[in-house]
Every structure is written in structure tokens, then in C-alpha cells.
Amino acid sequence: MERVISVIPNHKLHLHTTHSWEFMDFSPGKIRPQEEGNIVIGFLDSGIWPESESFNDEGMSPPPAKWKGKCHNITCNNKIIGARYYNKFKSPRDAIGHGTHTSSTAAGREVDGASFLGLAKGTATGGVPNARIAVYKVCWDMLGCSNADILAAFDDAIADGVDILSMSLGSDDPQPFFDDALAIGAFHAMKRGVLSSASAGNSGPSPATASNLAPWMLTVAASSMDRKFISQVVLGNGEIYPGIAVNSFKLNGTSFPLVWAGDVANYSGGNGLLNAKNCLPGSLNSNKIAGKIVLCNSVLGDYTGVVMANGLGAIVSFPIPFLIDIALSYPLPATQVKTGDGDAILEYIRTTENPIGTILVGETWKDIMAPYVASFSSRGPNRLNPEILKPDITAPGLDILAAWSPVASPSGSPFDTRKVKFNVISGTSMSCPHASAVAAYVKALHPNWSPAAIKSAIMTTANVMDPRKNDDHEFAYGAGHINPLAVTNPGLVYNASEADYIHFLCKQGYNTSTLKQITGESNASCDGVVPGRAWDLNYPTFGVAVEDGQSVNATFTRTVTNVASTNSTYRVTVQMSSSVNVEVHPKKLSFSTVGEKKTFTVKVSGPKMVEQPIQSGTIVWKDGVHVVRSPLVVYTITTNSMTTSPFRPTERIRFGANSINWNMHF
């Protein structure tokens, strides 16, 4: 076209490996090492690989005097200062990589030249690289994470002296809090001043799938950053199709024969078209695919079937469009293309006498749409307590590169013999340690703040997410995208104590017996408390769940504490759709001292609602310096929409359900 001056490639981008912190404009090490070094983050996970460069202790002082933890069967240092295991396998070592990845994401030291086999090469670092790490291995590859081990780990972590707990694990089926080991453990941690940061789960984008729903926990969704991993398909006819994958295999541009998996079924092995097109193990005829690239139609899988049949590579065409944002790793040259592109590749195979193609080695492209919530990230509303908005916050959880265990397959396939020091994976397991690091950062600068105050600071300073990119709005991202730059100076905080949470539980219908199962205290009582809505819990967000066909009528009571200037006046602004009326009283809050508290009420009213999707609004307090922002959501529910299945005493919590890898079918 005459108006086009030139066309240049726009896809190759070289960024720092731990790009998530750079994406948030946060430079780790903003506070003095001795302040950061006073903070201990405890990880309930699959263990750790202590020899990783991310856990070197060069220049670090001895552990803080408060520390009482132990190291079992590994050699700790001034970085890893605690390592315990639970179960019969006598080692806290990480055999699957998950715990090594999460702990280095939060608190790994700087490592130059880190990459995944050359992809995304740069400097790796955690958010608080001088903080200490304590590991509590409660998760095992085939056994999952048992409630008994989790509760024992909570007891040890609290007694050891951790400051923040990071838990990239959860149940797909949230139970009442008195039957939820994570909720119970987190409650006891809260009593001792320890905030528990937990992943929201990977059951999205279906609604009401979020886990870790207790209001005393920080529940973290997963979102993207402005880097994605691309591996392109080049056909013999010159057509090029971009695919998403973490592909380190180099075919050097050489073309190989292409086949569709549905045409090469292993019928003699009892497999038909369905198994074959999904490239399941044993489903493909090795005589027909040896040395060829296979087009597969599958949602998630390890494509071991292609490897077992001596296939050279795989092109994955997802029939579910929303899963195309996940860059997965495979044990062979492979990439994932959009369904339409997969159809075009299939048409080329069927209409060409000798179809050929190749898969290019991976590269990084800039994602200008970021941030948006990942398709897999579990959504609200809250199945147990609809008035408590969950998840609380979102943080980077797509394509995160961090340290890895060298004895763990980078793709999870038993046929993958590659050994790596760093790996790229996705999940709310990856977003959770980002939030844990930010919580540790706040704790380092404000050691006397309560868990609720730290959580409030993270939520009310969050960056606003674009609802046009996230159809589920606050059910996807909660208060917004975590903003490490603003968390230490929030202006006002919504504080809450053990007594406040007990009152909340009583309002939810808990009695003295069930209350004791959570608090562990025989004197805890619900006497005099009338069950009702959770609108008076001092939470940083506002949720109005209206029963279908009923009118909107809710009154919230909130108390904010001044943690900034001695003389300040905050004025409120409200944004909400015209069909819902919101009144805040008073409209101005004046503070003369730090620590002073002020109470206000929010009245929400509106007409009857029938099958009303989420309506989003905000309540914002400003003093000219600070912006204290809280989401307000109104939506309808049906009487049976928030039910949960009966508790199973033998239930095991599955950490892998909160991390995405191509072969993980948890």
C-alpha cells in the first residue's frame, strides 16, 4: 500500500527472565538486606532443591534470632534456614520441581544467565531475594498433600517463627472451614500474626470454582504479563502459523512429512479414531508416523503417544479456544495452534500429495494485551460465603520462569530426559508466590502490621484491571492486579482481628462446637450472635449477592485505620451502574493521628433482579496523596448455586491442581 513506508518484524523480544517483577515495575532489593533478611517465608509445597543457584547465601547474615526451625536431611544455609518433611519419605528434597519453582519465584537470589535451554535468557530473581526460606514438604508426586501433613506443617511453621506462609495448593471442592485443613491452619497462623497467601485454583474459566475461600487468607488468581512464548509452524506451501509453546527443540528449519493423527490409528492395538486423534499412548501406528510430525486434536496431554510411536514432533490443535493462552512444554518438538489454524493445517495435509512442514524453535513475543486473567484461573463467586469476594487479587501466573529441580522432567513426561535448572510453567501456583513476596515486602517495612492490614494494603492499592479483557470482572481478578510499588503506603487499612473472624463465623451459622474445630479454643462462643449476612466483616471489598427475583438491599459497616499522615482528610467517590443506588455515610473522614480509626456505612439498594450478571462498582477514599480503592459488586444467585458436596475425611489436597503442566491430570 502506498501509505506503508516499511514493514519490520515485531515478534522477537529479549526480556529479563524473571520478567514478572519487571512487568510490575518492581525492582527486588528496594529495602535494606537486613530488613528483608528478618522476614521468613514458609512454603507448604513439594520441597526444594537446595543446590539451586537461586538459593545461594553469599553475603547473607545468619538467620534472625527469633528463628527456631530445623533442617532435616539436607544441608541448609543462611538462605534456606528450615526444611521439614512429612510422610515416610525421609527428605525435604523436591523431586518434581514445583516447590523449587514457587520458592525461587518469591525469594530466589539473583542468578545471571538463567534460561530454559536458551529461551528467555536473562537474570532470574525473586521478589524479596534477601528474605529467608523455610520449606515444609507436604506434597508428594503420587500421594498428593494430605490434611494431616498440612496441619502438622502449620504447627511447625508457626512454632518455627515464619512471617508469611505461601501455599500453592488447594482443593477442587471447598469444604466448610471446620473441615478445611488449609483454612484451619491459616486461622491459627493469623492468630500468631502470620498471613497465609494461597492459590485460587486452576478450574477456570467456569464460575464458582475458586478455592481457599476463608476471609483470613489472601486468595490469588493468575494473570498474564507482556511476554509470551511462540513456536511457529511452517508448511511446505509457505504458510506460517504461530503457535504457543515452550519449545527448545531445534529442527533447524528442516521440513518433515506431516500426518493427521486420525489417519494413523493403531487399530491392531484396539484404538480407534477418538484415541488416535488425541494422540493417546498406544493409539498411534508407529509404522505410519515414525520420523513424521503429527497433527493432534487434544485439550491437554503429554503427547507421549507420539514419542512412543517414534513420531518426530506434534502440532496441537485445541478444540477449546480459551486454553490457547497456556504455553506448555513437551518432550519433543511441539506447539499449540488455534483451532482455525489447525483446521487449515489439516486441510493442507488432506489436499497435498506429500505434505511437509516444520516447527521452529521457540522465541518470545510481546503481548500488548497484558495483563488479563488466565483462562485456567479459577473464578468466583465464593461458593461458601457469597458476600466475601474471591479471589482477592491477581498476580502474574502465565509463563513464569523460575528455578527447577534437575531430577524432575521439565515437561512432566517420563520420556523427557532433559535436565534443566530453570523451567517455564503456568498456574495460580505461580501467581501465589508473587503475592507472598509482596506480603513479605510489606511485613519487612511494617513488622507490626496484622495479617489483615497487610492483606488490605495489597488489595486497596491494586491496579485496576480492564473489564473488556476479562468477562468475569471481579470474579476473575478480585480487587485488581497486585501493585508492589504502592503496597507499603496504602494510607488507610481495613483491619480485622481473631474476634472479628469469630463473629463472622457465628453469623454464618457456626455454633460453639464447629467454632472450636477452627479456633481450637474451648471458650470461643457464638452466644448472642444472630446468623445473617457477612456484611459487617471489616473486609476490603463489598459483595452483594441477591437471591434471584429479590430486590437489592444491603448495609455494610466498615472501619478504616490511618497508617499514613497525622493530619489528613479523605473524601469518598462512588461508581456504580445507574440501576443500583449506593450511599456512603459519612462522605468525609478526618484523621489527626496515626492509628486513629473511623467508621462508615455503605447502603446499597435497587430493584428486583432476575439472572443479573455481575455489576461492578467502586468505593474510593482519597486524601490527595493516597487512593484507597475497594470493589463493590452486585449479582444474583439461586438458592442451590452455592452448595458444596459432603466432606470426605480421606480427601487429599492436590497441589498440582494449582499448577498447569502439559501432562498433569490431577
Side-chain angles (χ1 to χ4, degrees), residues 636-649:
T636 57
I637 59 172
T638 57
T639 54
N640 62 350
S641 64
M642 296 292 140
T643 57
T644 59
S645 63
F647 175 66
R648 299 182 298 276

Side-chain angles (χ1 to χ4, degrees), residues 40-44 67-69 84 86 134-136 150-165 189 192 194:
V40 183
I41 306 178
F43 295 87
L44 273 63
W67 183 245
K68 301 176 183 178
R84 298 178 184 265
Y86 307 83
V135 177
Y136 303 87
I150 289 169
L151 288 172
F154 268 110
D155 282 344
D156 285 339
I158 294 168
D160 288 347
V162 302
D163 297 286
I164 302 293
L165 277 168
R192 297 289 293 270
V194 178

Side-chain angles (χ1 to χ4, degrees), residues 538-598:
N538 206 37
Y539 212 69
T541 58
F542 301 81
V544 182
V546 183
E547 200 167 318
D548 204 35
Q550 300 298 311
S551 58
V552 181
N553 187 12
T555 300
F556 299 86
T557 302
R558 293 289 189 270
T559 299
V560 288
T561 303
N562 179 32
V563 294
S565 305
T566 53
N567 292 297
S568 57
T569 298
Y570 289 79
R571 290 175 172 80
V572 71
T573 57
V574 176
Q575 290 184 333
M576 194 64 197
S577 64
S578 58
S579 62
V580 177
N581 181 54
V582 181
E583 297 180 8
V584 180
H585 298 286
K587 299 184 182 300
K588 181 175 72 173
L589 302 175
S590 296
F591 300 89
S592 58
T593 60
V594 175
E596 187 176 359
K597 302 176 187 294
K598 295 287 184 179

Side-chain angles (χ1 to χ4, degrees), residues 245-306:
V246 185
N247 176 34
S248 68
F249 295 96
K250 297 179 180 179
L251 299 180
N252 300 316
T254 303
S255 292
F256 297 89
L258 293 177
V259 294
W260 177 52
D263 291 334
V264 290
N266 179 18
Y267 290 106
S268 63
N271 292 278
L273 174 63
L274 181 61
N275 285 350
K277 72 177 185 178
N278 288 316
C279 295
L280 298 178
S283 67
L284 302 174
N285 187 329
S286 60
N287 294 323
K288 294 183 178 181
I289 75 164
K292 299 178 181 180
I293 296 174
V294 184
L295 175 64
C296 304
N297 301 109
S298 182
V299 178
L300 287 175
D302 61 8
Y303 302 100
T304 295
V306 178

